[in-house]
Amino acid sequence: MAERTPEETLAVQGPAVERVQALVNLAAIERNCRRLRAGLGDGAELCAVVKADGYGHGAVPVALAALAGGAGWLAVAGAHELRELRGAGLQVPILVMAALTPVELAETLAARGDVVVWDERDVAAVASAGGGRVHVKLDSGMGRLGTRDPEQASAVAEQAERSPGVELAGLMTHFATADELDDGGFFAAQLQAFVRWAGELKADRPGLLLHAANSAATLREPAAQFDMVRAGIAIYGMDPFGRDPAERGLEPALELRSYVADVKPCRAGESAGYGRRFIAEQDTVIGVLPVGYGDGWRRGLSNNCDVLIGGARRPLVGTISMDSVTVDLGPDAGEQLLGEPAVLIGLQGSERITAEEIARRLNTINYEITCGLTPRATRVYHRDGLQAEQDAAGAMLPGTA
Ligand SMILES: Cc1ncc(COP(=O)(O)O)c(C=O)c1O
């Protein structure tokens, strides 16, 4: 990487420049992809799942980082997400995985998105919209999109082959319990059902792309990797099993940061926040941070999480408001904490708060934590602390010198 002047160096450790920042380390995403790729069987492709604005990280910068890290495909849920990626100049194959309205289907095919089909009607719709590449989905147990009937799935595949302008590109399924290691054999049964169906079709059509695995399946079972894996959560450095990402060598890419905007004494018996849900038992000092549920820091975290300030964990106290939260800085805290960075997700000194920890506190999954960050939390892109460069189209170019 080229030398940077100090001005070009992103002040990731410095004073806050905005009330809430979601710092996204594109180099970590690149490394996570490289690690995943290294664990794939011979010739298997990595498809980076960047739907929901790259799980809240920003679809285009993440896609570029994933491609730099060895991904050959991208996947999104809908047509507007495809449009964003194509608009940024990305020419790689992109799988559009969710159900599409006729309008969305036409837009997807026009933008050369691969679509998912499981019914004769779907193939007919693709043909009449001008044709395109399709992936037939067997519902091997997820109970969502796809057909549960392998014979119907095969019939749909054969219909696609016969339909002018339609290309049968792939066969796929999706696992319901890949992230549950004690699922009573359900994952294995799904895998077996897919192998039985897809293996037979592939025997006569070696060019077909078979894909089934999400991040959990990719990490858990090499036999589920087939020709391509569709990995989302792991490329962001979060753990699909809800454990510490470090255990699998994954590096969390996102850090959520605010700062101490005010410091005020709170005497015993005084309260902080709506509903007086925190009443000081003894004299203490309260820090006010300008972050709230309007940024995606959910109200369920009221009196229910810590924040890193001055290298130490401090309890968030009281009710989370739309724009601010209060933190108990302890009786000895003083004005010196004013303006200090406050880390809600990420590292500070030897302390660390992961999205997995926040998810546990909310009885949810890490996916929902980063997807739930709103646009008001400004995304700031960097590579291990160095500012990522921006091309003329506004896309972040990781690794450009
Ligand atoms: C069909 C499909 N494949 C792959 C993925 C990626 O899953 P994960 O983020 O668990 O890797 C998703 C995400 O929900 C999905 O819906």
Side-chain angles (χ1 to χ4, degrees):
M1 183 175 292
E3 290 280 310
R4 312 280 166 144
T5 65
E7 296 76 50
E8 288 172 323
T9 301
L10 181 72
V12 288
Q13 308 301 333
V17 290
E18 282 181 85
R19 49 187 296 283
V20 189
Q21 293 189 320
L23 298 151
V24 179
N25 186 354
L26 298 173
I29 292 174
E30 202 178 307
R31 286 192 291 269
N32 290 328
C33 288
R34 224 174 266 134
R35 253 177 230 122
L36 285 168
R37 223 84 217 241
L40 297 184
D42 267 358
E45 288 265 16
L46 172 63
C47 172
V49 180
V50 298
K51 61 191 172 137
D53 199 25
Y55 290 36
H57 295 63
V60 171
V62 165
L64 287 164
L67 295 172
W73 280 67
L74 300 171
V76 293
H80 65 285
E81 295 178 327
L82 171 67
R83 189 193 316 147
E84 186 187 358
L85 298 177
R86 291 288 188 232
L90 292 166
Q91 300 301 333
V92 294
I94 302 178
L95 180 66
V96 179
M97 301 191 294
L100 300 169
T101 68
V103 171
E104 290 167 337
L105 177 65
E107 182 178 358
T108 298
L109 296 172
R112 290 167 292 106
D114 284 35
V115 299
V116 180
V117 297
W118 57 90
D119 189 284
E120 280 87 350
R121 278 193 311 267
D122 302 333
V123 178
V126 172
S128 64
R133 288 159 52 88
V134 302
H135 299 240
V136 179
K137 186 167 196 175
L138 177 72
D139 176 6
S140 57
M142 180 69 173
R144 217 171 53 175
L145 301 181
T147 170
R148 287 191 194 269
D149 177 0
E151 282 183 21
Q152 152 140 15
S154 298
V156 169
E158 283 156 15
Q159 183 198 353
E161 287 179 310
R162 290 193 308 270
S163 301
V166 178
E167 182 188 340
L168 177 63
L171 305 176
M172 65 185 286
T173 195
H174 191 45
F175 295 110
T177 60
D179 55 338
E180 294 171 32
L181 295 171
D182 53 353
D183 68 344
F186 197 78
F187 170 78
Q190 276 199 264
L191 180 55
Q192 207 176 26
F194 183 66
V195 167
R196 216 179 298 124
W197 169 67
E200 202 174 295
L201 287 173
K202 173 120 175 166
D204 304 331
R205 302 162 180 83
L208 276 186
L209 194 71
L210 268 48
H211 49 105
N214 56 3
S215 298
T218 302
L219 294 168
R220 163 181 180 171
E221 178 51 85
Q225 294 172 353
F226 299 101
D227 303 312
M228 181 168 85
V229 301
R230 307 183 305 267
I233 197 79
I235 73 167
Y236 305 96
M238 291 184 283
D239 186 70
F241 306 99
R243 298 173 61 91
D244 183 344
E247 287 175 18
R248 291 180 184 269
L250 297 170
E251 293 178 60
L254 183 139
E255 184 175 8
L256 186 68
R257 180 190 289 217
S258 182
Y259 74 102
V260 181
D262 200 7
V263 172
K264 66 201 301 176
C266 183
R267 292 192 197 290
E270 290 180 337
S271 63
Y274 285 119
R276 306 196 70 216
R277 298 226 157 68
F278 168 75
I279 298 178
E281 284 175 6
Q282 57 194 33
D283 291 357
T284 189
V285 174
I286 292 291
V288 184
L289 318 182
V291 53
Y293 64 78
D295 305 288
W297 204 244
R298 300 244 306 269
R299 204 163 174 273
L301 292 166
S302 300
N303 280 323
N304 187 25
C305 72
D306 293 330
V307 181
L308 308 180
I309 297 169
R313 277 181 179 258
R314 323 270 180 163
L316 186 153
V317 292
T319 304
I320 291 177
S321 308
M322 190 184 293
D323 314 314
S324 55
V325 301
T326 40
V327 175
D328 187 351
L329 298 174
D332 303 325
E335 294 267 312
Q336 79 278 5
L337 289 180
L338 202 58
E340 279 294 295
V343 173
L344 297 110
I345 297 175
L347 273 169
Q348 197 183 64
S350 58
E351 285 289 348
R352 188 169 62 120
I353 294 175
T354 60
E356 288 74 15
E357 173 184 332
I358 300 302
R360 263 192 305 281
R361 290 176 182 274
L362 286 167
N363 198 21
T364 184
I365 50 176
N366 40 12
Y367 300 66
E368 204 183 11
I369 304 305
T370 59
C371 283
L373 297 175
T374 70
R376 197 171 77 173
T378 310
R379 273 43 169 197
V380 177
Y381 296 97
H382 66 99
R383 294 182 57 81
D384 296 332
L386 295 177
Q387 182 124 41
E389 295 186 7
Q390 208 161 4
D391 75 0
M396 296 299 163
L397 296 176
T400 47

